[in-house]
């Protein structure tokens, strides 16, 4: 019998308990030994809950119990999750987490502590909810040199953008509805400003290069400025708008960014709608591969945490390799990266815009008083200089 503790009995934590209970037979078979939840740590009491007798308010009870071999950390945030995780790993208990903030901030340190103590720190659920993406990067694509990752990594913003596109509804309206349905948090800043996707691409990029890509260094732009008019233009040229998180390696140099992009129907991420997430990985031998599924939500995320529990159960006392060193990767800024840009200017600037940008593809979207176009490929720096000179309404990058 392998004793497990769950820290945090919120949405994901209660999902973990549900998955372990519902799929008991499968999970026990695949783990090689029965899994038993011995403790659930939470500040609250849960009278009437079928697992009320497992609730403890005292983390020491878990950390001092030598029978507990695996801990699911589903508390979120840095405090006290960092301290609890560190202490658990130091005492040889493996930790499986959905906490992307903690992984993005302390990942390499916690992995190192785990390995020094013959246990594991696994984080499949920290990126892409239930989609297997950490395991493919760590185990399946080990013959590859991965040079590009592009993903839709945030379910809330993808839901909002998909709804804006489908219903022609404005951002504020859809955000309110997403909050009412429980998709978006009451304080949606981390999602809509791109911070959540930024932490997730930092984790994926770190696994891509085996070093640490600091999320603080990643250029991040959210979706709060996207309007129904932008979607009218996108429609008129057979494109849509998605919040993409991407990282690239070119000649040993790395850059990463999170921003809204216009993408065309032929783009592999075009059909990823609602709360779904997807990640495209490019390797130098395999070429493109894509991972798709539910990027958020109780059971999908819990399923990924439990898949890590099974992995830990199969490797009690053994280290599962993970190549992520503490050494930091120097990111090149995005200024010298090249792409095309969708631009909106007031109608009276049409001639000047054509003069400044020279070659433009006009978008006929019948938006009164405006001229919309897509530029030729140019660097961000070049674009910013031209756009600054001209004075534009807005711009969206084109992928
Ligand atoms: N807020 C996140 C999202 C939850 O919307 O994708 C999953 O990390």
């Amino acid at each position: 019998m392998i004793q497990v503790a769950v820290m945090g009995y919120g949405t994901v934590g209660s999902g973990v308990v549900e998955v372990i209970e519902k799929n008991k037979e499968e999970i026990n078979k695949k783990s090689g030994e029965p899994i038993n939840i011995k403790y659930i740590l939470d500040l609250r009491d849960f009278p009437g809950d079928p697992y009320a007798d497992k609730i403890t308010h005292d983390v020491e009870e878990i950390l001092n119990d030598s029978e507990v071999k695996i801990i699911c950390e589903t508390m979120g945030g840095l405090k006290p999750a960092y301290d609890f995780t560190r202490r658990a790993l130091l005492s040889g208990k493996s930790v499986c987490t959905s906490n992307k903030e903690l992984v993005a901030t302390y990942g390499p340190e916690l992995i190192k502590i785990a390995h020094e103590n013959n246990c594991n720190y696994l984080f499949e659920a920290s990126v892409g909810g239930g989609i297997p993406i950490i395991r493919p990067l760590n185990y399946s694509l080990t013959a590859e040199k991965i040079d590009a990752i592009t993903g839709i990594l945030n379910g809330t913003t993808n839901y909002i953008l998909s709804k804006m596109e489908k219903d022609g509804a404005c951002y504020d309206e859809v955000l309110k509805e997403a909050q009412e349905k429980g998709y978006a948090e009451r304080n949606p800043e981390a999602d809509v400003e791109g911070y959540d996707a930024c932490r997730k691409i930092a984790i994926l990029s770190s696994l891509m290069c085996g070093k640490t890509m600091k999320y603080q260094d990643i250029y991040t732009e959210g979706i709060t400025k996207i309007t129904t008019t932008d979607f009218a233009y996108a429609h008129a040229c057979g494109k849509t708008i998605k919040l993409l998180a991407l990282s690239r390696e070119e000649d040993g140099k790395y850059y990463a960014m999170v921003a809204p992009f216009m993408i065309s129907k032929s783009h592999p991420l075009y059909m990823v709608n609602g709360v779904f997430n997807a990640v495209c990985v490019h390797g130098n031998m395999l070429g493109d591969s894509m991972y798709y599924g539910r990027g958020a939500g109780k059971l999908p995320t819990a399923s990924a945490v439990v898949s890590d529990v099974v992995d830990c159960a199969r490797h009690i006392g053994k280290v599962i390799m993970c190549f992520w060193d503490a050494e930091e990767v120097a990111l090149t800024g995005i200024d010298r990266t090249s792409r095309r840009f969708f631009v909106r200017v007031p109608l009276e600037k049409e001639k000047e815009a054509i003069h400044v940008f020279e070659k433009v593809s006009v978008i006929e979207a019948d938006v009164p008083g405006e001229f919309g176009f897509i530029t030729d490929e140019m660097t961000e720096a070049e674009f910013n200089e031209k756009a600054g000179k001209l004075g534009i309404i807005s711009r969206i990058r084109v992928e």
Side-chain angles (χ1 to χ4, degrees):
M1 180 87 74
I2 296 173
Q3 301 293 355
V4 173
V6 176
M7 290 184 175
Y9 201 37
T11 307
V12 181
S14 60
V16 166
V17 174
E18 193 176 329
V19 170
I20 290 178
E21 182 53 39
K22 272 205 178 134
N23 287 350
K24 198 188 287 173
E25 220 173 288
E26 294 293 312
I27 289 164
N28 289 348
K29 206 179 342 171
K30 288 170 188 165
S31 299
E33 245 188 276
I35 299 285
N36 181 56
I37 296 171
K38 188 164 182 184
Y39 303 103
I40 299 170
L41 179 75
D42 205 283
L43 291 171
R44 301 161 293 177
D45 281 313
F46 295 86
D49 186 283
Y51 298 92
D53 61 322
K54 314 237 179 207
I55 298 282
T56 173
H57 306 305
D58 183 8
V59 72
E60 303 304 330
E61 200 178 350
I62 297 171
L63 295 176
N64 294 331
D65 186 335
S66 61
E67 271 187 13
V68 173
K69 300 288 182 225
I70 303 169
I71 291 173
C72 301
E73 186 270 293
T74 48
M75 292 184 290
L78 296 181
K79 273 186 188 171
Y82 170 66
D83 181 47
F84 292 178
T85 300
R86 216 174 156 272
R87 290 178 58 202
L89 296 171
L90 282 167
S91 65
K93 301 181 195 308
S94 288
V95 177
C96 310
T97 188
S98 56
N99 188 339
K100 61 231 150 189
E101 199 183 349
L102 189 61
V103 177
T105 312
Y106 294 110
E109 179 193 327
L110 295 171
I111 291 165
K112 189 162 175 268
I113 295 175
H115 294 181
E116 284 167 357
N117 291 278
N118 293 320
C119 59
N120 292 290
Y121 183 55
L122 301 188
F123 43 92
E124 182 60 72
S126 66
V127 181
I131 309 174
I133 181 60
I134 303 294
R135 213 162 270 120
L137 288 176
N138 259 342
Y139 312 147
S140 317
L141 301 175
T142 42
E144 292 293 317
K145 179 169 167 32
I146 295 166
D147 51 26
I149 297 180
T150 312
I152 292 177
L153 298 180
N154 183 266
T156 304
T157 47
N158 204 45
Y159 173 85
I160 294 172
L161 293 175
S162 303
K163 264 285 203 198
M164 285 174 76
E165 178 185 39
K166 195 164 148 268
D167 300 350
C170 74
Y171 170 80
D172 289 330
E173 211 176 298
V174 182
L175 173 61
K176 195 162 163 271
E177 190 196 315
Q179 283 171 318
E180 279 162 10
K181 286 196 167 159
Y183 294 146
E185 306 279 339
R186 208 165 275 275
N187 177 2
E189 197 188 6
D191 291 317
V192 300
E193 295 294 356
Y195 308 149
D196 175 80
C198 169
R199 278 151 182 80
K200 291 169 177 169
I201 194 68
I203 295 170
L204 297 184
S205 308
S206 298
L207 293 175
M208 164 170 126
C209 58
K211 295 178 185 163
T212 297
M213 195 178 282
K214 281 174 71 187
Y215 71 84
Q216 296 92 332
D217 295 341
I218 297 176
Y219 175 87
T220 301
E221 209 179 288
I223 63 159
T224 55
K225 295 192 187 97
I226 303 296
T227 65
T228 44
T229 311
D230 293 320
F231 275 104
Y233 280 107
H235 262 281
C237 61
K239 297 187 194 301
T240 190
I241 302 164
K242 297 287 184 194
L243 183 72
L244 298 187
L246 53 89
S247 68
R248 300 279 182 270
E249 185 269 339
E250 277 161 23
D251 304 323
K253 292 196 175 118
Y254 292 90
Y255 80 87
M257 66 192 291
V258 175
F261 279 82
M262 258 194 190
I263 61 173
S264 61
K265 287 192 174 136
S266 58
H267 195 289
L269 297 174
Y270 182 90
M271 291 302 290
V272 179
N273 287 315
V275 292
F276 279 82
N277 281 193
V279 191
C280 296
V281 178
H282 185 268
N284 64 342
M285 296 293 129
L286 171 67
D288 289 318
S289 58
M290 185 162 152
Y291 309 84
Y292 169 84
R294 289 187 188 276
K298 177 175 167 167
L299 293 178
T301 310
S303 169
V305 176
V306 178
S307 77
D308 281 345
V309 171
V310 173
D311 217 358
C312 287
R314 288 170 171 178
H315 294 91
I316 299 279
K318 289 187 213 130
V319 165
I320 302 169
M321 287 313 291
C322 174
F323 297 97
W324 180 355
D325 288 343
E327 186 189 336
E328 285 170 21
V329 168
L331 285 184
T332 51
I334 63 164
D335 271 12
R336 271 186 263 156
T337 62
S338 291
R339 53 185 53 85
R340 296 187 303 148
F341 296 83
F342 157 67
V343 187
R344 289 166 55 193
V345 296
L347 194 55
E348 62 272 18
K349 292 200 176 179
E350 178 177 345
K351 278 202 182 123
E352 201 186 337
I354 293 169
H355 175 72
V356 171
F357 283 100
E358 294 160 34
K359 273 169 105 185
V360 302
S361 312
V362 179
I363 306 176
E364 305 286 358
D366 292 328
V367 176
E370 281 191 20
F371 176 60
F373 60 92
I374 292 179
T375 68
D376 243 12
E377 194 168 313
M378 62 185 68
T379 64
E380 289 266 344
E382 236 177 298
F383 174 80
N384 289 338
E385 196 205 321
K386 288 176 194 287
K389 217 187 299 175
L390 180 64
I392 64 174
I393 297 172
S394 64
R395 61 100 179 90
I396 298 175
R397 296 172 178 87
V398 179
E399 166 82 351

